[in-house]
Amino acid sequence: QAADGVGQRYAFYRPELNRDANERFKLENALRRALERHELELHYQPQIAVDGKSIVSAEALLRWRHPERGLVPPNDFIPLAEETGLIVEMGEWVLHQVCCQLQAWRRAGLPVVPVAVNLSAHQFDERIVGTVRRVLDDCGLEPGLLELELTESASMADADKSVALLARLKGMGIRLAIDDFGTGYSNLNYLKRFPVDRLKLDRSFVRDLETDADDLAIARAVVAMAHGLRLSVVAEGVETAGQLALLTDLGCDLVQGWLFSRAVPAEEFARLLAAGQMPAAA
Ligand code: C2E
Ligand code: MG
Ligand code: MG
Ligand code: MG
């Protein structure tokens, strides 16, 4: 009897799996259309000196303005974009959008700051060098205004290759940051060899900073280590004045979080740039 084959086929067509596949297929197509129909947009979150005033840089964060579902956060569609490979095209769009936006702001006379773009592990191969060069060229932007954020897992899968790739990017004059630092496989040997400029202390260490002595110890160690390696530190997810005070004490350089601002649409970020500093904060 062909029980095995039939069994497998039966299992494959289980209604709930079928429905999931359908959902997936629909979402995948919708995502593709979103890219074509310009339903994707970037919001900008300021990265602020610990004085709480100066906007030193910003991070571009992707959103999908879905016609029915409203503003969809990246965690709801980037994983699928990565699975399907669409992330490469999407990521290139993000780079282009950010670089040309920066150049447009500059032409308009705004005091622009460097903007960081998140890079998926899927984008982190040889092709990224050409992509970045072409995008900078297209937009006429100087490389020093573009920062790339990579996670430890993306950059440490093949360390020797990564070091070489990062060195080429760094050689072009762009800035590099390690995102979500402390959540991946923090291989300090590699970190030592990576030509990066910044570490971003993951939000999970910032959240309970005021009550958890272990988190405080980790934050302190990360800041000390980063400074020893001549890197600056951005604390992610700063929500309270208490967290800010502790991070200031530790000598953290920059903070990014809802205490000061969420990621805001481009026009709103342009107004912050024009004002030259954050409005009187909490
Ligand atoms: P991430 O790169 O670690 O970005 C920081 C996330 O923390 C953002 O979430 C930001 O909105 C959020 N955040 C900032 N301050 C606070 C705070 O004070 N409290 C809390 N609770 N959250 C805060 P978002 O925008 O939803 O993005 C989630 C993730 O999606 C990002 O994490 C990044 O990994 C990914 N992502 C976003 N845009 C892109 C993109 O253009 N390309 C790629 N490949 N990934 C992206
Ligand atoms: Mg990031
Ligand atoms: Mg992060
Ligand atoms: Mg994070």
Side-chain angles (χ1 to χ4, degrees), residues 179-180 202-203 236:
D179 204 357
D180 304 338
D202 190 68
R203 181 160 69 88
E236 295 190 306

Side-chain angles (χ1 to χ4, degrees), residues 44 100-110 112 266 269-270 273:
Y44 296 81
C100 285
Q101 177 64 265
L102 271 167
Q103 189 59 348
W105 281 335
R106 207 180 22 199
R107 283 207 196 94
L110 290 176
V112 295
F269 185 67
L273 283 179

Side-chain angles (χ1 to χ4, degrees), residues 27 30 64-72 76-77:
L27 186 59
W64 176 7
R65 194 162 296 276
H66 192 282
E68 286 127 39
R69 291 202 286 158
L71 208 58
V72 182
D76 289 2
F77 62 89

Side-chain angles (χ1 to χ4, degrees), residues 42-43 45 59-63 72-79 82 87 90-91 93-95 98 116-121 123 149 151 179-180 200 202-203 207 235-240 243 256-263:
L42 287 159
H43 287 198
Q45 187 176 33
E59 177 175 10
L61 294 157
L62 192 56
R63 273 96 181 89
V72 182
N75 290 334
D76 289 2
F77 62 89
I78 284 187
E82 290 185 321
I87 192 68
M90 199 176 271
W93 179 85
V94 170
L95 278 167
V98 166
V117 167
N118 291 282
L119 218 58
S120 159
Q123 294 174 270
E149 291 190 6
T151 60
D179 204 357
D180 304 338
K200 299 192 71 183
D202 190 68
R203 181 160 69 88
R207 194 187 313 123
E236 295 190 306
V238 178
E239 296 184 353
T240 72
Q243 292 165 347
Q256 177 182 346
W258 297 349
L259 175 63
F260 295 104
S261 173
R262 298 196 177 225

Side-chain angles (χ1 to χ4, degrees), residues 34 69 82 95 113 129 139 161 170-171 203 228:
R69 291 202 286 158
E82 290 185 321
L95 278 167
V113 294
V129 179
C139 304
K161 241 181 164 170
K170 193 65 210 156
R203 181 160 69 88

Side-chain angles (χ1 to χ4, degrees), residues 195-268:
V196 298
D197 305 283
R198 286 179 165 180
L199 295 187
K200 299 192 71 183
L201 178 66
D202 190 68
R203 181 160 69 88
S204 59
F205 303 111
V206 173
R207 194 187 313 123
D208 302 321
L209 211 50
E210 291 162 279
T211 51
D212 189 328
D214 294 345
D215 286 335
L216 188 61
I218 289 169
R220 179 179 288 118
V222 168
V223 171
M225 180 187 67
H227 287 171
L229 295 170
R230 295 167 304 280
L231 311 179
S232 58
V233 183
V234 185
E236 295 190 306
V238 178
E239 296 184 353
T240 72
Q243 292 165 347
L244 174 65
L246 288 169
L247 290 161
T248 305
D249 276 353
L250 297 183
C252 183
D253 304 281
L254 301 173
V255 288
Q256 177 182 346
W258 297 349
L259 175 63
F260 295 104
S261 173
R262 298 196 177 225
V264 296
E267 314 76 64
E268 207 171 322

Side-chain angles (χ1 to χ4, degrees), residues 13-39:
Y13 285 113
R14 245 173 24 218
E16 75 228 68
L17 282 186
N18 200 24
R19 197 178 52 219
D20 283 354
N22 243 325
E23 281 300 305
R24 213 188 107 106
F25 183 70
K26 267 164 54 188
L27 186 59
E28 194 181 324
N29 280 326
L31 209 49
R32 225 172 272 285
R33 278 200 313 273
L35 197 56
E36 287 158 13
R37 294 181 185 172
H38 311 292
E39 290 171 9

